[in-house]
Amino acid sequence: MPQILVIHGPNLNLLGQREPGHYGVDTLQSINQELLELSKQFSVQLSVFQSNHEGQIVERIHQTLQDGTDFVVINPAAFTHTSVAIRDAFLACSKPFIEVHLSNVHAREEFRQHSFLSDIAVGVITGLGKDSYLLALHAAISRCNK
């Protein structure tokens, strides 16, 4: 059974109330519930993790070396544009991952258009709200089953 980890970065715990014009009205809990339901349909073991702290996200990526994680879906949120540490954690652990964003970062402020992760990701899905996560999970499942 494939094991997939979904990592939610900073401020995503406030989804549903934080800037709904950019991020939608879905809560993190409702997104996680849909991801869990989808994972059950495809017999995938899914873990979810959210942190507002860069070091905790780095440590969680490191844990994938011991916990059987096959694939990661990550919304690094603001760390997308700032975190060499998260990039280096992925490079050190060699875990395939998909970068996701709820909003279209390319239609927003210029600083949001640079990612420290995109060039080492399997793929990037952006601008589709919660569907960004769902599509990424579908893609991760497909890759794990190959």
Side-chain angles (χ1 to χ4, degrees), residues 47-79:
S47 301
V48 295
F49 176 79
Q50 190 278 326
S51 181
N52 295 317
H53 305 280
E54 182 180 32
Q56 290 179 345
I57 294 171
V58 168
E59 289 177 1
R60 185 61 188 94
I61 295 166
H62 290 176
Q63 288 175 6
T64 65
L65 291 171
Q66 284 84 39
D67 68 8
T69 296
D70 297 302
F71 208 100
V72 178
V73 171
I74 183 171
N75 182 343
F79 291 139

Side-chain angles (χ1 to χ4, degrees), residues 22-124:
H22 284 297
Y23 303 111
V25 296
D26 293 298
T27 65
L28 187 60
Q29 182 180 2
S30 69
I31 291 171
N32 284 339
Q33 186 60 44
E34 285 195 50
L35 291 169
L36 289 167
E37 289 171 12
L38 181 62
S39 69
K40 288 177 187 173
Q41 290 175 23
F42 289 93
S43 299
V44 171
Q45 183 176 339
L46 187 74
S47 301
V48 295
F49 176 79
Q50 190 278 326
S51 181
N52 295 317
H53 305 280
E54 182 180 32
Q56 290 179 345
I57 294 171
V58 168
E59 289 177 1
R60 185 61 188 94
I61 295 166
H62 290 176
Q63 288 175 6
T64 65
L65 291 171
Q66 284 84 39
D67 68 8
T69 296
D70 297 302
F71 208 100
V72 178
V73 171
I74 183 171
N75 182 343
F79 291 139
T80 304
H81 326 291
T82 63
S83 184
V84 174
I86 292 173
R87 175 191 177 88
D88 287 349
F90 276 116
L91 289 171
C93 295
S94 298
K95 291 292 174 177
F97 71 95
I98 296 173
E99 176 184 341
V100 301
H101 298 283
L102 295 163
S103 68
N104 181 355
V105 295
H106 302 289
R108 298 193 56 200
E109 303 93 337
E110 186 175 336
F111 73 88
R112 293 188 195 276
Q113 297 173 22
H114 177 265
S115 169
F116 279 99
L117 302 174
S118 294
D119 66 313
I120 61 169
V122 170
V124 180

Side-chain angles (χ1 to χ4, degrees), residues 8 12 31 35 75 100 102 130-137:
H8 305 285
L12 294 172
I31 291 171
L35 291 169
N75 182 343
V100 301
L102 295 163
K130 72 176 175 186
D131 289 340
S132 294
Y133 282 105
L134 298 171
L135 291 168
L137 182 56

